[in-house]
Amino acid sequence: MPRPTTRRATTAVRRAVTALGPGLPAAGCGGLQSALDPAGPRAERIAEVWWTMFWAGGGILLLVVLLALWSLVRRRPSPGFKAPPMIIGGGLLLPVLALTALLLYGYRIGALHEAPAATRLTVNVIGQRFWWRVQYPGTAVETAGELRIPAGEPVEVRLNTVDVIHSFWVPRLAGKLDLIPGRENRLWIEASEPGVFRGQCAEFCGAGHARMVLVVVAEPRARFDDWLAGQDAAAAQTVGPGLDAFQEAGCGGCHRIRGSAAAGRAGPDLTHVGGRWALTARLAPVPADTLAEWILASHWSLPADDRRGLERLNATELRTLADYLGSLR
Ligand code: CUA
Protein backbone atom coordinates (compact mmCIF):
# COMPACT_ATOMS: atom_id res chain seq x y z
CA MET A 1 0.00 0.00 0.00
CA PRO A 2 1.74 3.27 -1.04
CA ARG A 3 1.98 6.03 1.57
CA PRO A 4 -0.41 9.02 1.05
CA THR A 5 2.46 11.34 -0.02
CA THR A 6 3.70 8.80 -2.57
CA ARG A 7 0.17 8.39 -3.87
CA ARG A 8 -0.27 12.16 -4.13
CA ALA A 9 2.98 12.45 -6.09
CA THR A 10 1.94 9.61 -8.40
CA THR A 11 -1.42 11.25 -9.05
CA ALA A 12 0.27 14.61 -9.74
CA VAL A 13 2.62 13.00 -12.29
CA ARG A 14 -0.33 11.18 -13.90
CA ARG A 15 -2.26 14.43 -14.20
CA ALA A 16 0.71 16.31 -15.66
CA VAL A 17 1.46 13.60 -18.21
CA THR A 18 -2.22 13.20 -19.14
CA ALA A 19 -2.48 16.97 -19.64
CA LEU A 20 0.47 16.80 -22.02
CA GLY A 21 -1.57 14.23 -23.97
CA PRO A 22 -1.43 15.68 -27.50
CA GLY A 23 2.35 15.83 -27.47
CA LEU A 24 2.77 12.22 -26.46
CA PRO A 25 2.74 9.53 -29.09
CA ALA A 26 0.68 7.11 -27.00
CA ALA A 27 -1.84 9.61 -25.87
CA GLY A 28 -4.08 10.45 -28.82
CA CYS A 29 -5.61 13.90 -28.40
CA GLY A 30 -6.74 14.31 -24.79
CA GLY A 31 -10.36 14.76 -23.71
CA LEU A 32 -12.62 12.54 -25.80
CA GLN A 33 -9.66 10.76 -27.30
CA SER A 34 -6.88 9.97 -24.85
CA ALA A 35 -5.37 6.52 -24.36
CA LEU A 36 -4.35 7.72 -20.89
CA ASP A 37 -7.99 8.26 -19.97
CA PRO A 38 -9.34 4.74 -20.53
CA ALA A 39 -13.10 4.13 -20.41
CA GLY A 40 -13.18 0.35 -20.70
CA PRO A 41 -11.29 -2.73 -19.46
CA ARG A 42 -9.33 -3.25 -22.68
CA ALA A 43 -8.15 0.35 -22.84
CA GLU A 44 -7.31 0.18 -19.12
CA ARG A 45 -4.80 -2.59 -19.78
CA ILE A 46 -3.15 -0.51 -22.49
CA ALA A 47 -2.93 2.50 -20.16
CA GLU A 48 -1.43 0.17 -17.53
CA VAL A 49 1.30 -0.90 -19.99
CA TRP A 50 1.94 2.74 -20.82
CA TRP A 51 2.40 3.69 -17.16
CA THR A 52 4.57 0.66 -16.43
CA MET A 53 6.83 1.56 -19.35
CA PHE A 54 6.83 5.18 -18.20
CA TRP A 55 7.97 4.35 -14.66
CA ALA A 56 10.44 1.65 -15.77
CA GLY A 57 11.96 3.90 -18.45
CA GLY A 58 11.95 6.88 -16.08
CA GLY A 59 13.79 4.86 -13.39
CA ILE A 60 16.47 3.73 -15.83
CA LEU A 61 16.87 7.27 -17.20
CA LEU A 62 17.30 8.59 -13.66
CA LEU A 63 19.93 5.95 -12.90
CA VAL A 64 21.89 6.78 -16.07
CA VAL A 65 21.72 10.54 -15.41
CA LEU A 66 22.94 10.05 -11.81
CA LEU A 67 25.82 7.87 -12.98
CA ALA A 68 26.78 10.43 -15.64
CA LEU A 69 26.74 13.24 -13.05
CA TRP A 70 28.73 11.14 -10.63
CA SER A 71 31.41 10.50 -13.29
CA LEU A 72 31.57 14.25 -14.04
CA VAL A 73 32.01 15.13 -10.38
CA ARG A 74 34.56 12.39 -9.64
CA ARG A 75 36.67 13.06 -12.76
CA ARG A 76 39.05 10.26 -11.87
CA PRO A 77 38.15 6.66 -11.14
CA SER A 78 38.16 5.83 -7.43
CA PRO A 79 40.90 3.47 -6.32
CA GLY A 80 39.64 -0.04 -6.75
CA PHE A 81 37.25 0.90 -9.58
CA LYS A 82 37.22 -1.80 -12.24
CA ALA A 83 35.70 -1.25 -15.67
CA PRO A 84 34.77 -4.86 -16.64
CA PRO A 85 32.17 -5.40 -13.85
CA MET A 86 30.51 -2.08 -14.77
CA ILE A 87 30.41 -3.04 -18.47
CA ILE A 88 29.09 -6.56 -17.83
CA GLY A 89 26.65 -5.48 -15.12
CA GLY A 90 25.41 -2.14 -16.41
CA GLY A 91 25.98 -2.60 -20.13
CA LEU A 92 24.90 -6.22 -20.56
CA LEU A 93 23.04 -7.76 -17.62
CA LEU A 94 20.88 -4.76 -16.70
CA PRO A 95 19.52 -4.13 -20.25
CA VAL A 96 18.97 -7.86 -20.85
CA LEU A 97 17.10 -8.30 -17.57
CA ALA A 98 15.09 -5.08 -17.89
CA LEU A 99 14.09 -5.70 -21.51
CA THR A 100 13.25 -9.38 -20.87
CA ALA A 101 11.05 -8.42 -17.91
CA LEU A 102 9.23 -5.78 -19.95
CA LEU A 103 8.86 -8.17 -22.90
CA LEU A 104 7.30 -10.91 -20.74
CA TYR A 105 5.03 -8.34 -19.13
CA GLY A 106 4.01 -7.06 -22.59
CA TYR A 107 3.20 -10.60 -23.78
CA ARG A 108 1.06 -11.25 -20.72
CA ILE A 109 -0.95 -8.07 -21.27
CA GLY A 110 -1.15 -8.74 -25.03
CA ALA A 111 -2.73 -12.14 -24.37
CA LEU A 112 -5.52 -10.39 -22.44
CA HIS A 113 -6.56 -8.69 -25.69
CA GLU A 114 -7.64 -11.90 -27.36
CA ALA A 115 -11.29 -12.77 -28.02
CA PRO A 116 -13.58 -12.71 -24.99
CA ALA A 117 -15.54 -15.88 -24.11
CA ALA A 118 -18.73 -14.53 -25.70
CA THR A 119 -19.99 -11.43 -27.48
CA ARG A 120 -23.62 -10.54 -28.12
CA LEU A 121 -22.86 -8.01 -30.83
CA THR A 122 -20.66 -8.00 -33.91
CA VAL A 123 -20.34 -4.97 -36.17
CA ASN A 124 -18.64 -4.53 -39.52
CA VAL A 125 -16.53 -1.43 -39.91
CA ILE A 126 -15.41 -0.75 -43.45
CA GLY A 127 -12.82 1.90 -44.19
CA GLN A 128 -13.42 3.99 -47.27
CA ARG A 129 -11.62 7.15 -48.26
CA PHE A 130 -12.47 9.16 -46.14
CA TRP A 131 -15.20 7.79 -43.92
CA TRP A 132 -16.25 4.72 -41.96
CA ARG A 133 -19.14 2.51 -43.09
CA VAL A 134 -20.65 0.75 -40.08
CA GLN A 135 -22.95 -2.27 -40.57
CA TYR A 136 -24.88 -4.36 -38.08
CA PRO A 137 -25.05 -7.93 -39.45
CA GLY A 138 -28.49 -9.52 -39.36
CA THR A 139 -30.14 -6.11 -39.89
CA ALA A 140 -30.34 -3.58 -42.73
CA VAL A 141 -28.77 -0.94 -40.48
CA GLU A 142 -25.87 1.01 -41.85
CA THR A 143 -24.39 4.24 -40.53
CA ALA A 144 -21.44 6.37 -41.49
CA GLY A 145 -18.87 7.73 -39.07
CA GLU A 146 -21.01 6.72 -36.10
CA LEU A 147 -20.72 3.46 -34.21
CA ARG A 148 -23.34 2.78 -31.55
CA ILE A 149 -22.65 0.04 -29.05
CA PRO A 150 -24.20 -1.21 -25.83
CA ALA A 151 -22.17 -0.23 -22.75
CA GLY A 152 -20.79 -2.80 -20.34
CA GLU A 153 -20.13 -5.62 -22.81
CA PRO A 154 -17.41 -6.44 -25.33
CA VAL A 155 -18.31 -5.80 -28.96
CA GLU A 156 -16.58 -7.54 -31.82
CA VAL A 157 -15.53 -5.19 -34.61
CA ARG A 158 -14.71 -6.76 -37.97
CA LEU A 159 -12.46 -4.47 -39.94
CA ASN A 160 -12.29 -4.34 -43.72
CA THR A 161 -11.34 -1.72 -46.29
CA VAL A 162 -12.48 -1.17 -49.85
CA ASP A 163 -9.45 0.85 -50.94
CA VAL A 164 -6.21 1.58 -49.06
CA ILE A 165 -4.94 0.76 -45.57
CA HIS A 166 -6.74 2.63 -42.79
CA SER A 167 -6.34 2.18 -39.06
CA PHE A 168 -9.16 1.92 -36.53
CA TRP A 169 -8.39 3.61 -33.25
CA VAL A 170 -10.74 4.60 -30.45
CA PRO A 171 -8.09 5.27 -27.79
CA ARG A 172 -10.41 5.28 -24.78
CA LEU A 173 -11.95 1.90 -25.63
CA ALA A 174 -9.31 -0.35 -27.18
CA GLY A 175 -6.04 -0.60 -29.04
CA LYS A 176 -5.36 0.26 -32.64
CA LEU A 177 -5.75 -2.13 -35.57
CA ASP A 178 -5.18 -1.66 -39.29
CA LEU A 179 -7.75 -2.29 -42.00
CA ILE A 180 -5.90 -4.13 -44.73
CA PRO A 181 -7.17 -4.70 -48.29
CA GLY A 182 -8.12 -8.35 -48.87
CA ARG A 183 -8.00 -9.33 -45.21
CA GLU A 184 -10.44 -9.14 -42.31
CA ASN A 185 -9.06 -8.05 -38.95
CA ARG A 186 -10.96 -8.40 -35.69
CA LEU A 187 -10.86 -6.22 -32.62
CA TRP A 188 -12.93 -6.10 -29.43
CA ILE A 189 -13.96 -2.80 -27.94
CA GLU A 190 -15.72 -2.21 -24.65
CA ALA A 191 -17.07 0.83 -22.82
CA SER A 192 -17.70 0.33 -19.11
CA GLU A 193 -20.24 3.15 -18.94
CA PRO A 194 -22.45 4.97 -21.47
CA GLY A 195 -20.66 7.85 -23.14
CA VAL A 196 -19.32 9.34 -26.34
CA PHE A 197 -15.83 8.46 -27.51
CA ARG A 198 -13.93 9.83 -30.45
CA GLY A 199 -11.98 7.66 -32.82
CA GLN A 200 -9.62 8.57 -35.60
CA CYS A 201 -8.11 6.88 -38.62
CA ALA A 202 -4.51 6.36 -37.51
CA GLU A 203 -2.88 5.45 -40.82
CA PHE A 204 -2.26 8.10 -43.45
CA CYS A 205 -4.66 7.23 -46.28
CA GLY A 206 -4.76 10.36 -48.41
CA ALA A 207 -5.75 14.02 -48.37
CA GLY A 208 -8.78 13.43 -46.13
CA HIS A 209 -7.00 11.25 -43.56
CA ALA A 210 -7.12 13.81 -40.74
CA ARG A 211 -10.89 14.20 -41.24
CA MET A 212 -11.55 10.46 -41.08
CA VAL A 213 -13.17 10.62 -37.68
CA LEU A 214 -15.40 8.09 -35.97
CA VAL A 215 -17.75 8.74 -33.08
CA VAL A 216 -18.59 5.85 -30.78
CA VAL A 217 -21.79 6.25 -28.76
CA ALA A 218 -22.17 3.72 -25.93
CA GLU A 219 -25.67 3.37 -24.50
CA PRO A 220 -27.40 1.10 -21.99
CA ARG A 221 -28.40 -2.20 -23.66
CA ALA A 222 -32.16 -1.46 -23.73
CA ARG A 223 -31.65 1.94 -25.37
CA PHE A 224 -29.24 0.46 -27.85
CA ASP A 225 -31.78 -2.25 -28.78
CA ASP A 226 -34.45 0.43 -29.33
CA TRP A 227 -32.08 2.45 -31.49
CA LEU A 228 -31.14 -0.59 -33.59
CA ALA A 229 -34.79 -1.56 -34.13
CA GLY A 230 -35.62 2.02 -35.18
CA GLN A 231 -32.70 2.15 -37.59
CA ASP A 232 -33.73 -1.16 -39.11
CA ALA A 233 -37.02 0.35 -40.35
CA ALA A 234 -37.28 1.95 -43.80
CA ALA A 235 -37.08 5.75 -44.16
CA ALA A 236 -39.92 7.83 -42.73
CA GLN A 237 -40.67 9.50 -46.05
CA THR A 238 -39.91 7.93 -49.41
CA VAL A 239 -41.69 10.25 -51.88
CA GLY A 240 -42.09 14.02 -52.22
CA PRO A 241 -40.25 17.15 -53.39
CA GLY A 242 -37.24 16.47 -51.11
CA LEU A 243 -36.65 13.08 -52.64
CA ASP A 244 -37.26 14.52 -56.13
CA ALA A 245 -34.48 17.08 -55.55
CA PHE A 246 -32.29 14.28 -54.21
CA GLN A 247 -32.81 12.16 -57.32
CA GLU A 248 -32.54 15.09 -59.76
CA ALA A 249 -29.17 16.04 -58.32
CA GLY A 250 -28.03 12.45 -58.86
CA CYS A 251 -27.56 11.77 -55.12
CA GLY A 252 -29.37 8.43 -55.43
CA GLY A 253 -26.54 7.19 -57.64
CA CYS A 254 -24.28 7.03 -54.59
CA HIS A 255 -26.60 7.11 -51.57
CA ARG A 256 -29.31 4.76 -50.40
CA ILE A 257 -32.53 5.78 -48.66
CA ARG A 258 -34.17 2.48 -47.78
CA GLY A 259 -37.75 2.22 -49.02
CA SER A 260 -37.24 4.84 -51.75
CA ALA A 261 -35.95 4.70 -55.30
CA ALA A 262 -32.53 5.91 -54.13
CA ALA A 263 -30.39 2.78 -53.93
CA GLY A 264 -26.77 3.89 -54.47
CA ARG A 265 -24.12 2.04 -52.48
CA ALA A 266 -20.90 3.98 -53.08
CA GLY A 267 -21.57 6.63 -50.41
CA PRO A 268 -23.10 6.60 -46.93
CA ASP A 269 -26.61 5.20 -46.35
CA LEU A 270 -28.86 8.17 -45.57
CA THR A 271 -31.99 6.30 -44.45
CA HIS A 272 -31.89 7.88 -40.96
CA VAL A 273 -29.29 10.59 -41.49
CA GLY A 274 -31.36 13.29 -39.73
CA GLY A 275 -31.14 11.42 -36.44
CA ARG A 276 -27.47 10.72 -36.52
CA TRP A 277 -25.55 11.80 -33.48
CA ALA A 278 -22.60 12.96 -35.50
CA LEU A 279 -21.81 13.75 -39.08
CA THR A 280 -18.18 13.03 -39.83
CA ALA A 281 -18.10 15.64 -42.50
CA ARG A 282 -18.86 18.39 -39.98
CA LEU A 283 -15.10 18.52 -39.94
CA ALA A 284 -15.15 19.50 -43.61
CA PRO A 285 -13.00 22.55 -44.39
CA VAL A 286 -15.95 24.92 -44.90
CA PRO A 287 -17.72 26.01 -41.69
CA ALA A 288 -20.96 24.08 -41.94
CA ASP A 289 -23.64 25.95 -40.03
CA THR A 290 -26.58 24.45 -41.80
CA LEU A 291 -27.29 21.03 -43.19
CA ALA A 292 -27.37 22.54 -46.70
CA GLU A 293 -23.85 23.95 -46.28
CA TRP A 294 -22.78 20.68 -44.76
CA ILE A 295 -24.04 18.76 -47.80
CA LEU A 296 -21.89 20.88 -50.11
CA ALA A 297 -18.88 20.93 -47.79
CA SER A 298 -18.92 17.20 -47.15
CA HIS A 299 -18.45 16.37 -50.83
CA TRP A 300 -15.17 18.24 -51.13
CA SER A 301 -13.09 15.09 -51.63
CA LEU A 302 -15.16 13.70 -54.53
CA PRO A 303 -14.11 14.03 -58.18
CA ALA A 304 -15.66 17.11 -59.87
CA ASP A 305 -17.94 14.94 -62.03
CA ASP A 306 -19.52 13.36 -58.96
CA ARG A 307 -20.20 16.76 -57.43
CA ARG A 308 -21.68 18.40 -60.52
CA GLY A 309 -25.32 17.39 -59.95
CA LEU A 310 -25.20 18.69 -56.39
CA GLU A 311 -23.59 21.98 -57.42
CA ARG A 312 -26.31 22.55 -60.04
CA LEU A 313 -28.99 22.87 -57.34
CA ASN A 314 -30.10 26.43 -56.60
CA ALA A 315 -30.45 27.69 -53.03
CA THR A 316 -34.16 26.79 -52.78
CA GLU A 317 -33.64 23.27 -54.10
CA LEU A 318 -30.72 22.78 -51.77
CA ARG A 319 -32.87 23.93 -48.86
CA THR A 320 -35.63 21.48 -49.86
CA LEU A 321 -33.06 18.71 -50.05
CA ALA A 322 -31.54 19.63 -46.69
CA ASP A 323 -34.96 19.81 -44.99
CA TYR A 324 -35.83 16.41 -46.38
CA LEU A 325 -32.60 14.80 -45.15
CA GLY A 326 -33.04 16.50 -41.78
CA SER A 327 -36.50 14.90 -41.50
CA LEU A 328 -35.09 11.38 -41.96
CA ARG A 329 -34.85 10.35 -38.32
CU1 CUA B 1 -8.22 6.49 -43.37
CU2 CUA B 1 -6.30 7.65 -42.62
Side-chain angles (χ1 to χ4, degrees), residues 27 67 81 99 103 123 133 167 178-179 182 185 200 251 256-257 296 301 323:
L67 281 173
F81 174 84
L99 292 176
L103 184 70
V123 292
R133 190 192 293 272
S167 189
D178 281 1
L179 293 77
N185 275 343
Q200 168 71 46
C251 307
R256 179 172 72 167
I257 296 178
L296 289 176
S301 66
D323 288 346

Side-chain angles (χ1 to χ4, degrees), residues 129-130 132 165-167 200-206 209-210 212:
R129 293 200 290 179
F130 299 99
W132 305 92
I165 299 176
H166 303 273
S167 189
Q200 168 71 46
C201 179
E203 176 77 32
F204 181 73
C205 50
H209 158 72
M212 201 167 157

